[in-house]
Amino acid sequence: MSAALAEDVPTRLFQRAVALEQAGRGGESCAILERLRSLPAPPAGFHALEARVMARMGRHQQAEEAASAALEQGAEAAPLLALRAQARLAQGNLTGGLDDAAQLVMAQPGDGPAQALLGDALLRAERFDEAIFLHGRLFQQAPEDPNAILRLARSFLRAGRHAPAEELLALAEQRLPNVASVAALRAQNQLLAGNAARAEALAEAALARGQVDASVHSVLAHALATQQRMAEAGRHFIAAARLAPHDEYHAHLAASVLGTETSRATPGYVASLFDGYAANFDDQLIGLGYRVPGLVRQAVEAWLPGAPAEGGVLDLGCGTGLVAVALMGLDLPAPVGVDLSPGMLRQAAAKGLYATLCQTDIITHMQACPEPQRLIIAADVFCYLGDLAPLVHCLGMHVMPGGALVFSVEQGAEATPWHLQPSGRYCHGRAPLQHLLAEAGFGRVTMQETPLRQEAGQDIPGLFVVAMH
Amino acid sequence: MPAVALSRGIQALAAGRPAESLPLLRAAMQAPEQAELAALNLALACMALGEFGEARPLLLRTHASLPGLGESAFRLGVIAGQAGQPAQAAEWFTQALRRQPGHALALVGLGSLAENRGDFAAAEGFFARAALLTPEEPELAFAQARIAVAQGQAERARRHACSCLNRRPMHVAAARLLAGVLADEAALAALPKADADSPAWVLVSACMLLRAGAEEAALAALHLAEALGEPNADLTREINALLARLGRAPLPGEAAPESASAVLQRSTALWQRHEFAAMVALLRAGLAQYGPVPGMAMNLALALNAQGQHAEALAAAETAVAEADNKVVALVNRLAIMPYHPQAGRAEALLAAARAIDAALPPMPAPCPATPRRPGRLRLGVLSGGLGTHPVGWLTLAGLEHLPAEDFALTVYSLKPRPDTLNSRFRRRADAWHEVGALDDSALAARIAADDLDVLLDMGGFGEGGRPLALRGKPCRKLVKWVGSQFSTTGLAHMDAMLTDRWETPPGFERFYTERLLRLPDGYVCYTPPPYAPPVGLLPALANGHVTFGCFNNLAKLTDAVLQAWAMLLRRLPQARLVLQTHAFADAETLALTARRLAAQGLPMARLTLLSGCPHPEFLANYARIDIALDPFPYSGGLTVCEALWMGVPVVALASDSFAGRHALSHLSNAGLPQWVATDLHGYLQRAEAAAADLPALAQLRAGLRDQVRASPLVDGPRFGRNLATALRSII
């Protein structure tokens, strides 16, 4: 921005932006703020103003940067720390958000909102006991405050302590009888506690009260699905998708119920699905007889003697890192893990077995990946992709001669390339898959029919594939 | 001293402070030797403040008293142009040139008038002559840009628009024009600019964002432009117009002088906030200033009607019809007023008025023959802006929800987003949902046509936001009118049928309708009671010792004849009370006006309670104060009747012959209470008195009325869904 602006113009711009914020219309000042930001010396108070406006607009990164700039300039710390904490948490920067929230509480020890913010940050960081302690204290101070009730309830819920969560959520529902999300949360708590029938009843009651909302239909759908009442569940997935048309998670499940052909599960669906599972994933899969990591180890042990001496290992859809655990002790470099779910990646990082972890879609990663790999593993990932052709061809170009692609798919009809099942996962036919791998340059392919895991007491049939270049 | 006052007044005016100049120039007019010059400058100051009504007599005076000057004539031409009187404007501009052949702006004015007529050759001629006199005049560059656009010469338009903006950075219209001939922001960046930091380019960028539908970003850019530049009334109006469109109040500050279109925009904003008295005052002032501008007359008709001033409302609507170039819009406005009018609200008059709309429509090619319908589910569409907690929503949701999904694929074309619980239920049922309010008529028709519908239900009619005229090209196989300003026939040749029932349109009533009448076996609507409706309480008369009548209808429905009837009733029942509740009473002036009307019609004000609108649960809870509801006429209550019945309050009604006049008859009959509907005023009063005289019967009725309604077809969704399905299948 040149210095051609008349001297009083920056002041006028700032005053206009302040007036808009005071009128509750800070969003209308975006263009003014952008112009002021470009000045070599914006007016005093600009950064704090920008932080507030950006926070209200949900532009978290800009809010964080502006808050940091304002703090550096010595602006009043408390509101900016609160704002920056929220912005950092919203961007998934749990450490930074916690730091700010903790500083805020130290600066204002008796301040309820500051303590609530710290409690929320602790909850996001899965430090449940501390979150429960803080939110519990706030609840004791204001037992009638619905927000305090809900915060404590959520803390118990996330900690897996469903009985106290239920008591609090029942209380919250009394205080807020017309808020659909409260009803949905209460039903979800029951579902997580293993009481699908109770969750169903709570959700149905909410709908009968006129709380027609995507969240209520969603939890009802999951409760019905848990009870293997798939047709009924499908109707509610469809309702949820119609009520929240931009929600990829429900859109995918609705499509799977309707039999609508989609070529892949969207990244949004996969991330939502696995973020919800992350904390208990390993235990649940082990409980369900998950065999794929063991099969991967067996296959890699057989392949290793003839494998190339150089090259990396790529674990696509690494999840919580079960494959890396399975490969421990083998003569291979630490793998690079790729997954969409931040929750899953935190679990994987905790295992300390990966060289790098990338939160991205596997197709995006492969398109950007320059180097051929010695070994690429995709365990239980292709069930979220229908049309495998683009990815398999890409993988074919990224496995070095003598290298291997090891993956599993759920097995579909022999001649059908792919099919979206009511479960929301895709299955693939053996013959088209064999043909595709050959086209992609994989000369030696072995396919083993094997159950991948159990679901509702039934084996999920699958193909375990080792394809070598 | 007058001489000093004149000098200072002219200085203030030249410096852009017209308000400051007014007292100075008025003082200067006291001195005879400079009175005329002061008068002329005072006129210019008044015009700068938008006070054309004050300016005009001054200009007429100075036109006579200053024969050597053409300025007065030029300004009178501007006023005439603003008032939509092009012939008069041309005459004044010509007179200005006779006196001052070098008056460049008069030439620009004549050029603009020629341009408006489409005579671009003549327009260019005038502009060329003006260019010889004042080649640097920004308005001239703007005019030349407009001509270039009309002639499809984008490059020339860009050049002239830039020239204008380089000299007059805050020229909103030039910025808008330039935005229309630039491909993208890169093209804007590439333009030659005298000052790259000028607010002009921010203004152009804002206009480009507006064209792209990015209203929030455009608003932010407009704020930036205004803050960067000099104070500018046009830009302030532009910002306030956009704020009004976004449903936000204008920023506090000095009111900017307004053009006729700005008055119209502000009146629309007042309508949306139910500030009818302010709306009436604004429009009356606007009409005094600018003359009989049709849009102002139409909006005035709506505001007066909302206040229950039916005669004045119809008169304003008729003025609009007489003055409007676009008769269709004015005729639609008149039809929307007529059902409320005690005389004009009869079926025959409404039919004639509706037919007049169809007759005024421009000719249209016949639609292409319909292709054979695809096998499978009946493809049903709904077009409405009321799919939420709105009368349309409450009366149609149950029917649409209970149309079997396996047989009916439902596509919704929503004209207005309504994020509420009822809207969620519509969305849940819809196989596809499209927000189409921003589409113009041809885009809307194309959008509908793309879905290959079997039947489209128009659930908006000629009401606010309704778009029945967009459907002229028959973008579907069958068009059916249902609910949503369904007060009469539409009169439209392209509307195939209307969903009705045997009470709304008994045999023989076909003569009042241009549509085929599809009579549903029960009522034509199915009511969805709100889940938050309070329980029915005891009859209040038992505790009060007197009967309380009530009417919770729209104030527009309370004609003088209704008020007289109620006055008669309260005279016959000296202990009875009357409670009126309506949202319009939140406007203090409307409340005061209504109180005066009530008193003038003989109502005993000491026995009346006037309640303003409140949140819906509370609104319903106020039925606990009412023993007997009184329905207005000729425009009957619709949703209001259903709500009264659900709250245990029977309704005394008087049926007339229009669709609007028979809503209560339909709902009461459907709920098993046909005996509460009279056919004349005597019967109406007698029914009310008889009910008030038998409190035990009234109490018993009240105690069981919700259950009675619950068991009736009025709220039987599955039954209505089956009937609706049968009716829809019958027309394809």
Side-chain angles (χ1 to χ4, degrees):
Chain A
M1 183 67 209
S2 79
L5 275 181
E7 279 184 18
D8 68 331
V9 169
T11 306
R12 266 208 327 257
L13 291 178
F14 183 66
Q15 284 170 350
R16 174 60 74 99
V18 167
L20 285 167
E21 196 216 1
Q22 286 172 348
R25 301 194 336 217
E28 294 173 30
S29 69
C30 279
I32 293 175
L33 294 174
E34 199 180 312
R35 185 62 70 100
L36 284 169
R37 197 183 314 120
S38 67
L39 295 177
F46 163 71
H47 291 296
L49 172 66
E50 186 183 29
R52 292 194 301 272
V53 171
M54 291 298 132
R56 215 164 269 134
M57 294 179 71
R59 296 190 188 177
H60 303 298
Q61 187 179 340
Q62 283 174 275
E64 180 189 350
E65 288 167 4
S68 296
L71 285 165
E72 276 169 33
Q73 287 186 343
E76 188 188 347
L80 289 165
L81 281 172
L83 192 152
R84 193 171 67 177
Q86 282 160 342
R88 285 176 163 172
L89 290 170
Q91 296 174 81
N93 178 359
L94 301 184
T95 308
L98 258 174
D99 280 347
D100 281 340
Q103 274 191 62
L104 182 62
V105 169
M106 284 192 294
Q108 299 181 312
D111 184 56
Q115 291 181 33
L117 179 58
L118 179 57
D120 288 344
L122 288 163
L123 190 61
R124 291 283 305 270
E126 298 179 359
R127 288 161 61 170
F128 298 127
D129 289 342
E130 294 163 273
I132 289 170
F133 172 76
L134 260 177
H135 284 142
R137 210 161 66 178
L138 290 169
F139 171 66
Q140 280 172 353
Q141 290 166 7
E144 298 299 311
D145 179 3
N147 287 324
I149 298 169
L150 280 170
R151 286 193 153 102
L152 183 57
R154 280 197 197 98
S155 303
F156 279 121
L157 185 156
R158 292 286 312 279
R161 294 168 62 178
H162 299 294
E166 160 60 19
E167 275 189 50
L168 289 161
L169 288 167
L171 187 59
E173 214 175 3
Q174 277 177 28
R175 298 279 185 278
L176 300 170
N178 297 318
V179 179
S181 58
V182 174
L185 192 63
R186 188 178 174 202
Q188 187 185 16
N189 183 54
Q190 288 299 322
L191 189 60
L192 291 169
N195 298 330
R198 179 81 181 119
E200 177 192 348
L202 287 169
E204 290 281 15
L207 289 175
R209 288 195 301 271
Q211 289 173 355
V212 173
D213 184 85
S215 61
V216 177
H217 278 286
S218 175
V219 72
L220 177 53
H222 282 96
L224 291 165
T226 304
Q227 299 172 80
Q228 297 304 305
R229 288 153 63 186
M230 299 311 293
E232 294 167 77
R235 283 199 292 278
H236 291 285
F237 279 128
I238 291 169
R242 286 177 179 173
L243 291 169
H246 303 296
D247 182 331
E248 294 179 11
Y249 178 74
H250 295 110
H252 178 76
L253 289 171
S256 66
V257 168
L258 289 168
T260 308
E261 290 291 301
T262 59
S263 64
R264 65 165 294 173
T266 58
Y269 168 74
V270 175
S272 298
L273 180 69
F274 285 97
D275 262 0
Y277 286 150
N280 305 315
F281 192 67
D282 293 358
D283 292 341
Q284 286 184 351
L285 276 189
I286 290 166
L288 292 169
Y290 186 44
R291 303 187 62 231
V292 175
L295 293 169
V296 169
R297 183 173 177 107
Q298 285 172 19
V300 171
E301 281 176 331
W303 158 80
L304 255 180
E310 302 288 322
V313 176
L314 188 55
D315 182 4
L316 297 177
C318 63
T320 58
L322 291 176
V323 161
V325 171
L327 296 179
M328 278 172 65
L330 296 177
D331 184 18
L332 285 168
V336 170
V338 179
D339 203 283
L340 272 172
S341 162
M344 288 295 199
L345 287 171
R346 278 197 290 277
Q347 299 285 325
K351 292 182 170 67
L353 297 172
Y354 286 87
T356 314
L357 288 165
C358 307
Q359 184 191 342
T360 187
D361 173 58
I362 62 175
I363 294 176
T364 305
H365 183 84
M366 290 316 302
Q367 286 167 345
C369 173
E371 294 145 6
Q373 303 290 309
R374 192 192 317 187
L375 173 64
I376 299 179
I377 302 164
D380 230 19
V381 168
F382 288 176
C383 55
Y384 298 104
L385 297 169
D387 181 8
L388 291 177
L391 177 62
V392 168
H393 281 290
C394 183
L395 290 171
M397 292 189 288
H398 284 85
V399 173
M400 56 180 46
L405 169 66
V406 176
F407 63 92
S408 66
V409 294
E410 292 189 17
Q411 189 173 13
E414 180 71 14
T416 302
W418 54 271
H419 171 66
L420 177 59
Q421 305 168 97
S423 62
R425 298 189 303 272
Y426 294 89
C427 59
H428 299 85
R430 177 196 278 266
L433 186 57
Q434 194 118 31
H435 182 70
L436 175 60
L437 288 165
E439 273 187 348
F442 292 98
R444 281 187 293 150
V445 176
T446 58
M447 288 193 183
Q448 175 189 348
E449 289 187 11
T450 177
L452 298 178
R453 64 184 171 287
Q454 288 209 320
E455 199 167 281
Q458 303 289 321
D459 282 345
I460 300 297
L463 293 171
F464 184 76
V465 182
V466 180
M468 289 193 283
H469 238 277
Chain B
M1 287 168 63
V4 172
L6 177 63
S7 164
R8 286 171 58 197
I10 291 174
Q11 277 175 13
L13 184 57
R17 302 191 301 273
E20 190 183 308
S21 73
L22 290 179
L24 297 164
L25 294 168
R26 286 193 182 108
M29 281 177 69
Q30 304 309 309
E33 66 277 13
Q34 58 193 21
E36 300 314 307
L37 198 54
L40 176 58
N41 280 283
L42 180 58
L44 301 186
C46 288
M47 284 192 73
L49 293 166
E51 288 164 15
F52 287 20
E54 288 208 35
R56 195 165 185 279
L58 289 166
L59 292 167
L60 287 169
R61 166 181 162 170
T62 56
H63 178 65
S65 62
L66 298 171
L69 285 182
E71 188 64 17
S72 303
F74 167 69
R75 294 289 173 156
L76 286 163
V78 170
I79 291 174
Q82 286 269 343
Q85 297 163 333
Q88 285 196 32
E91 178 52 36
W92 282 119
F93 291 144
T94 306
Q95 287 203 39
L97 284 166
R98 270 195 215 113
R99 293 189 177 193
Q100 262 180 268
H103 201 299
L105 287 179
L107 286 166
V108 172
L110 285 169
S112 298
L113 291 172
E115 177 192 352
N116 289 344
R117 286 194 308 269
D119 187 351
F120 300 124
E124 278 204 288
F126 286 119
F127 294 144
R129 282 169 58 188
L132 292 173
L133 296 164
T134 54
E136 304 298 307
E137 168 55 50
E139 284 304 325
L140 184 57
F142 176 52
Q144 290 172 316
R146 291 197 311 267
I147 297 292
V149 167
Q151 295 175 325
Q153 297 175 11
E155 178 48 42
R156 198 157 72 91
R158 279 192 286 274
R159 191 162 24 89
H160 286 304
C162 276
S163 172
C164 173
L165 286 164
N166 277 323
R167 292 188 207 108
R168 194 165 289 164
M170 307 297 271
H171 198 301
V172 175
R176 203 180 293 127
L177 183 147
L178 184 56
V181 294
L182 289 173
D184 50 32
E185 286 282 339
L188 173 60
L191 287 174
K193 305 179 181 74
D195 175 8
D197 294 323
S198 163
W201 317 119
V202 178
L203 193 50
V204 174
S205 181
C207 293
M208 293 175 78
L209 288 164
L210 268 176
R211 286 178 66 86
E215 289 187 319
E216 292 289 352
L219 182 57
L222 288 172
H223 280 305
L224 174 60
E226 195 180 39
L228 284 173
E230 297 297 325
N232 179 278
D234 283 341
L235 182 51
T236 304
R237 274 196 292 274
E238 188 77 14
I239 291 174
N240 284 336
L242 181 50
L243 286 169
R245 277 207 302 282
L246 293 170
R248 297 173 204 166
L251 284 177
E254 200 175 304
E258 292 178 305
S259 62
S261 60
V263 168
L264 272 172
Q265 281 172 351
R266 200 149 64 87
S267 74
T268 301
L270 289 168
W271 171 261
Q272 286 163 350
R273 300 199 296 268
H274 302 295
E275 293 178 33
F276 303 126
M279 187 178 169
V280 167
L282 172 70
L283 290 165
R284 281 190 167 139
L287 287 162
Q289 255 187 333
Y290 296 104
V293 177
M296 288 192 202
M298 283 188 262
N299 280 3
L300 178 62
L302 293 174
L304 289 167
N305 195 58
Q307 291 186 317
Q309 300 191 72
H310 303 99
E312 296 89 340
L314 190 56
E318 295 286 8
T319 300
V321 170
E323 296 290 334
D325 291 332
N326 181 350
K327 297 289 181 202
V328 173
V329 176
L331 288 167
V332 169
N333 174 257
R334 186 179 69 173
L335 182 61
I337 300 294
M338 284 173 64
Y340 298 87
H341 193 280
Q343 285 80 49
R346 309 281 310 183
E348 194 103 39
L350 292 169
L351 171 65
R355 279 187 164 144
I357 296 171
D358 194 64
L361 291 169
M364 195 156 174
C368 299
T371 54
R373 67 174 296 268
R374 286 188 262 163
R377 295 192 292 170
L378 191 152
R379 302 169 70 79
L380 175 67
V382 164
L383 175 67
S384 182
L387 302 176
T389 54
H390 178 280
V392 169
W394 293 114
L395 297 176
T396 63
L397 173 66
L400 292 173
E401 269 187 334
H402 288 96
L403 278 176
E406 59 273 19
D407 297 327
F408 289 85
L410 178 62
T411 302
V412 169
Y413 307 93
S414 166
L415 291 169
K416 180 174 180 173
R418 289 183 181 271
D420 59 46
T421 51
L422 243 61
N423 181 266
S424 294
R425 291 174 63 177
F426 279 109
R427 283 182 174 272
R428 188 174 59 177
R429 173 57 185 88
D431 293 83
W433 187 282
H434 308 290
E435 290 293 340
V436 296
L439 298 181
D440 64 23
D441 281 1
S442 64
L444 174 59
R447 183 67 200 80
I448 294 170
D451 289 333
D452 191 26
L453 299 175
D454 296 312
V455 180
L456 177 71
L457 294 173
D458 172 40
M459 286 161 46
F462 289 121
E464 191 178 338
R467 309 278 292 278
L469 302 182
L471 309 172
R472 283 189 77 201
K474 285 299 283 288
C476 56
R477 286 182 181 77
K478 292 293 181 188
L479 262 172
V480 178
K481 180 73 194 77
W482 187 38
V483 191
S485 294
Q486 189 167 342
F487 44 70
S488 72
T489 179
T490 64
L492 298 173
H494 60 275
M495 194 66 69
D496 295 300
M498 177 179 285
L499 287 173
T500 177
D501 61 51
R502 62 188 182 278
W503 298 294
E504 286 279 6
T505 54
F509 270 47
E510 291 79 3
R511 69 185 191 280
F512 296 132
Y513 295 85
T514 57
E515 303 89 351
R516 173 184 160 196
L517 299 179
L518 283 175
R519 295 182 179 89
L520 293 164
D522 304 311
Y524 80 109
V525 296
C526 188
Y527 171 55
T528 298
Y532 49 77
V536 174
L538 293 174
L539 189 72
L542 296 177
N544 292 338
H546 59 259
V547 164
T548 304
F549 295 101
C551 179
F552 291 1
N553 271 281
N554 180 352
L555 181 61
K557 295 182 180 179
L558 304 193
T559 62
D560 286 350
V562 170
L563 301 183
Q564 287 161 15
W566 293 348
M568 209 177 308
L569 182 63
L570 290 180
R571 278 197 293 277
R572 295 186 193 181
L573 298 171
Q575 304 303 314
R577 307 286 197 269
L578 175 64
V579 176
L580 304 180
Q581 176 175 241
T582 177
H583 292 292
F585 287 160
D587 180 26
E589 288 186 48
T590 296
L591 176 62
L593 172 73
T594 306
R596 288 194 294 276
R597 275 185 72 210
L598 293 165
Q601 296 303 332
L603 281 144
M605 297 307 292
R607 289 195 273 149
L608 260 60
T609 303
L610 306 183
L611 303 174
S612 67
C614 50
H616 200 210
E618 205 181 313
F619 192 93
L620 295 175
N622 281 332
Y623 276 105
R625 306 164 75 139
I626 309 299
D627 298 297
I628 299 166
L630 297 174
D631 202 50
F633 46 86
Y635 202 143
S636 169
L639 175 64
T640 310
V641 170
C642 298
E643 289 181 340
L645 294 176
W646 191 252
M647 294 307 302
V649 179
V651 182
V652 176
L654 171 55
S656 62
D657 62 2
S658 72
F659 201 96
R662 301 174 75 81
H663 291 330
L665 172 61
S666 173
H667 305 327
L668 284 162
S669 301
N670 209 8
L673 296 169
Q675 69 276 24
W676 286 78
V677 185
T679 54
D680 55 37
L681 184 59
H682 172 72
Y684 180 89
L685 293 171
Q686 208 177 33
R687 191 71 193 88
E689 278 185 78
D694 189 352
L695 293 189
L698 202 53
Q700 190 174 24
L701 176 64
R702 186 186 188 93
L705 191 49
R706 183 173 284 187
D707 284 339
Q708 180 175 335
V709 173
R710 188 181 279 121
S712 77
L714 183 59
V715 301
D716 189 341
R719 176 171 168 149
F720 190 90
R722 287 192 296 273
N723 292 338
L724 181 61
T726 302
L728 292 173
R729 288 192 196 101
S730 74
I731 56 168
I732 59 162

